[in-house]
Amino acid sequence: MLDGRRMQVLRAVVGSGSVTAAAARLGYTPSAVSQQVAALEKEAGTQLLERVGRGVRPTPAGLLLSEHAAAIGRQVAEAETALADLREGRTGRLWVRYFATVGAPLVAPALARLRRDRPGVQVELRLSGSADPLPEVVRGEADLALVVRPHGPVDGVRLEHLLDDPYRAVLPKGHPLATRRVVDLAELAGEPWVRSEWPGPCLDAVLDACATAGFSPDFAVDGEDYATAQGLVAAGLGIGMIPLTGLRSPHPGVVVRKVRRPEPVRAVHAAVRETAPDTPALRGLLDALRDAAVQ
């Protein structure tokens, strides 16, 4: 196999026309340069230089290897530049998972800032839906996921709190409690409920709050999403409990009221792999998400 460093020595000899001049350029002794060229000739299985007067000139094989050495040198320089850009966060690629209701308030402004500050960083977004993205983070298939914090720690994942997302009672217009500004959670104990959450951390936040208030909600009908759930509430099929980020477009047939004693809250976190490299691109995205969360 040809040695790349020896090829660069050959290139210096061919470019300068003599072993002595190449040695001066490289900071080697002439004998060291001659030894490197001789070793390369042994690897190549053919003569690479021939003497001409006091200098040398390349054989066809020497000229061929010198040209390849020049191309390799350019590629190494390009690789060093690309690596420096990646190391400094000027380029890179991030794979991000998120759920729908944080798209507008968190993801959109964070990506806009990242694009402004680091235009060379590409972000691949994917909506998590009902799938848990944490295993993807653990496996390194996602660099960051926005999640509602699960009960207990998750091995291999670091969770960084971004915001608390309180739930609101969603009542049909004309409901006896619709005239109230704040509703005690226990007052909803005897109501039929429209479920807007699937089993998991979001529903757990509601169930835990209801348990603290002394009851378990009676889910009469399931809503596929928050918009559907609001429509079911507006039709009088039950009351709903929807997080504030899911109420950016309230249905005209419902009223939204604060809840207390206790107020259900889901905690939104950024999840990253514990062993993930602390790259400027990932750090920049986390900073942008933190700033978006406090807006």
Side-chain angles (χ1 to χ4, degrees), residues 96-117:
V96 176
R97 306 292 179 262
Y98 72 105
F99 57 97
T101 54
V102 296
L106 287 184
V107 176
L111 291 189
R113 171 175 159 177
L114 186 70
R115 180 174 294 180
R116 183 181 68 247
D117 295 346

Side-chain angles (χ1 to χ4, degrees), residues 5 11 40 47 57 83-84 94 97 107 137 146 154-155 162 174 183 202 207 210 220 228 249 260 272 277 286:
R5 289 172 298 181
R11 176 189 173 197
L40 183 61
Q47 184 179 352
R57 68 183 178 191
L83 181 61
L94 295 172
R97 306 292 179 262
V107 176
V137 174
L146 292 172
V154 180
D155 290 340
L162 294 176
V183 176
C202 295
L207 295 179
C210 291
T228 301
S249 299
R260 65 183 178 185
V272 297
L286 280 169

Side-chain angles (χ1 to χ4, degrees), residues 6 10 28 36 43 69-70 74 81 97 112 131 142 177 205 260 266 285 292:
R6 289 170 180 157
L10 172 66
Y28 294 166
Q36 292 291 312
E43 293 171 351
R74 289 193 298 271
T81 300
R97 306 292 179 262
L177 296 175
R260 65 183 178 185
R266 65 179 187 178
L285 179 57

Side-chain angles (χ1 to χ4, degrees), residues 157-180:
V157 172
R158 175 170 59 88
L159 295 171
E160 181 165 336
H161 180 263
L162 294 176
L163 60 84
D164 289 326
D165 192 13
Y167 280 77
R168 296 289 185 255
V170 180
L171 311 172
K173 284 188 175 179
H175 190 279
L177 296 175
T179 58
R180 303 265 295 277

Side-chain angles (χ1 to χ4, degrees), residues 139-213:
R139 294 192 299 264
E141 296 169 4
D143 297 297
L144 181 146
L146 292 172
V147 299
V148 174
R149 181 169 185 170
H151 286 303
V154 180
D155 290 340
V157 172
R158 175 170 59 88
L159 295 171
E160 181 165 336
H161 180 263
L162 294 176
L163 60 84
D164 289 326
D165 192 13
Y167 280 77
R168 296 289 185 255
V170 180
L171 311 172
K173 284 188 175 179
H175 190 279
L177 296 175
T179 58
R180 303 265 295 277
R181 294 181 59 187
V182 182
V183 176
D184 286 351
L185 186 56
E187 295 179 281
L188 303 175
E191 299 279 350
W193 283 50
V194 173
R195 178 160 55 189
S196 59
E197 308 281 14
W198 295 108
C202 295
L203 182 59
D204 289 344
V206 174
L207 295 179
D208 290 347
C210 291
T212 300

Side-chain angles (χ1 to χ4, degrees), residues 13-273:
V13 173
V14 172
S16 60
S18 76
V19 170
T20 301
R25 180 191 300 181
L26 296 173
Y28 294 166
T29 63
S31 62
V33 170
S34 295
Q35 290 172 7
Q36 292 291 312
V37 172
L40 183 61
E41 286 180 328
K42 186 175 181 180
E43 293 171 351
T46 187
Q47 184 179 352
L48 301 176
L49 296 174
E50 59 179 328
R51 287 200 167 276
V52 179
R54 295 186 176 182
V56 294
R57 68 183 178 191
T59 65
L63 183 61
L64 175 70
L65 287 189
S66 178
E67 291 172 349
H68 279 282
I72 291 171
R74 289 193 298 271
Q75 290 175 342
V76 169
E78 291 172 1
E80 289 174 342
T81 300
L83 181 61
D85 287 341
L86 181 65
R87 191 171 55 241
E88 298 301 321
R90 291 186 290 270
T91 61
R93 186 184 297 269
L94 295 172
W95 281 264
V96 176
R97 306 292 179 262
Y98 72 105
F99 57 97
T101 54
V102 296
L106 287 184
V107 176
L111 291 189
R113 171 175 159 177
L114 186 70
R115 180 174 294 180
R116 183 181 68 247
D117 295 346
R118 302 182 183 277
V121 174
Q122 299 181 39
V123 178
E124 302 289 340
L125 281 177
R126 182 183 297 172
L127 192 64
S128 299
S130 59
D132 182 4
L134 290 178
E136 292 185 75
V137 174
V138 173
R139 294 192 299 264
E141 296 169 4
D143 297 297
L144 181 146
L146 292 172
V147 299
V148 174
R149 181 169 185 170
H151 286 303
V154 180
D155 290 340
V157 172
R158 175 170 59 88
L159 295 171
E160 181 165 336
H161 180 263
L162 294 176
L163 60 84
D164 289 326
D165 192 13
Y167 280 77
R168 296 289 185 255
V170 180
L171 311 172
K173 284 188 175 179
H175 190 279
L177 296 175
T179 58
R180 303 265 295 277
R181 294 181 59 187
V182 182
V183 176
D184 286 351
L185 186 56
E187 295 179 281
L188 303 175
E191 299 279 350
W193 283 50
V194 173
R195 178 160 55 189
S196 59
E197 308 281 14
W198 295 108
C202 295
L203 182 59
D204 289 344
V206 174
L207 295 179
D208 290 347
C210 291
T212 300
F215 73 99
S216 178
D218 176 20
F219 292 110
V221 62
D222 289 333
E224 289 290 330
D225 51 52
Y226 295 138
T228 301
Q230 289 188 64
L232 294 171
V233 171
L237 298 178
I239 63 97
M241 193 68 63
I242 296 178
L244 202 54
T245 55
L247 289 166
R248 301 178 73 84
S249 299
H251 190 286
V254 305
V255 294
V256 177
R257 295 294 179 258
K258 284 188 175 183
V259 181
R260 65 183 178 185
R261 298 176 185 172
E263 178 185 56
V265 176
R266 65 179 187 178
V268 178
H269 287 70
V272 297
R273 198 168 68 258

